[in-house]
Amino acid sequence: GVSSAASDVYKRQVKTYQEQHPEIKIYVTIKNTGTIEQAVVDNQLDFALVEGTVTHPEIISEVFSADTLCMVAAPGHPLAANRTVTLADAASCPLLLREPGSAGREIVESLFLSAGIQITPVWESVSTLALIRAAQNGLGIAILPELLVRDALKSGDPVSYTHLTLP
């Protein structure tokens, strides 16, 4: 099983593994962390890559990768020229976030909450690319994992992204 972030970032690794081990049948399902976690507990999956925190006591988890959150904005956006953006700066803009229940959304909400900042997104989506396109078109700023943003922007799309300064 694969969470949404892992599907974008690890697709090349899955292809390489399939080429090296054609005798092994690989099944990929893209769901949120909670759903994938339950599928492992129910023995529907042998292992999983997830972007969220694993909470079930019967699952052994291990960190396999780390990422940095970044702000994605249209090139002319006032914050686009900044090398770093504070949470307060980001909160002053219309926010484009992943859907409730996703690990990415939970991480973003907890960061703002720990800084005492209340947020209400103007867009929510299960699609990273939809959020990037909305930001690209000036509808607000997206806060997403940098690996996903870099992967999605390999086509050279005109969009700016910068790191968030975390408390």
Side-chain angles (χ1 to χ4, degrees):
V2 179
S3 71
S4 54
S7 68
D8 290 336
V9 176
Y10 296 103
K11 60 188 167 211
R12 287 178 295 282
Q13 286 85 349
V14 170
K15 184 176 188 307
T16 300
Y17 188 85
Q18 284 178 322
E19 290 168 351
Q20 293 173 351
H21 303 282
E23 73 284 3
I24 297 175
K25 181 180 175 190
I26 296 176
Y27 168 73
V28 176
T29 183
I30 301 168
K31 308 280 184 183
N32 67 36
T33 299
T35 303
I36 294 294
E37 185 178 42
Q38 191 59 51
V40 171
V41 170
D42 294 342
N43 288 318
Q44 296 170 343
L45 298 171
D46 295 320
F47 74 96
L49 304 175
V50 298
E51 63 185 3
T53 302
V54 175
T55 59
H56 198 284
E58 292 179 40
I59 295 178
I60 298 169
S61 65
E62 185 176 309
V63 175
F64 66 91
S65 181
D67 200 355
T68 303
L69 287 176
C70 68
M71 179 206 73
V72 180
H77 191 280
L79 296 179
N82 298 357
R83 288 183 52 92
T84 60
V85 174
T86 66
L87 292 175
D89 291 338
S92 71
C93 300
L95 294 176
L96 317 170
L97 300 179
R98 291 294 307 262
E99 77 281 6
S102 70
R105 173 69 172 265
E106 289 173 3
I107 291 166
V108 169
E109 286 180 337
S110 69
L111 286 171
F112 280 97
L113 185 62
S114 70
I117 301 171
Q118 181 70 28
I119 58 170
T120 304
V122 297
W123 268 50
E124 297 174 336
S125 178
V126 297
S127 168
T128 299
L129 192 55
L131 294 170
I132 291 171
R133 295 285 183 251
Q136 179 182 30
N137 285 293
L139 297 173
I141 62 167
I143 300 174
L144 299 163
E146 186 177 11
L147 287 174
L148 292 181
V149 173
R150 282 196 317 222
D151 193 56
L153 296 178
K154 284 185 179 170
S155 62
D157 289 339
V159 68
S160 175
Y161 71 94
T162 190
H163 294 103
L164 287 174
T165 300
L166 304 177

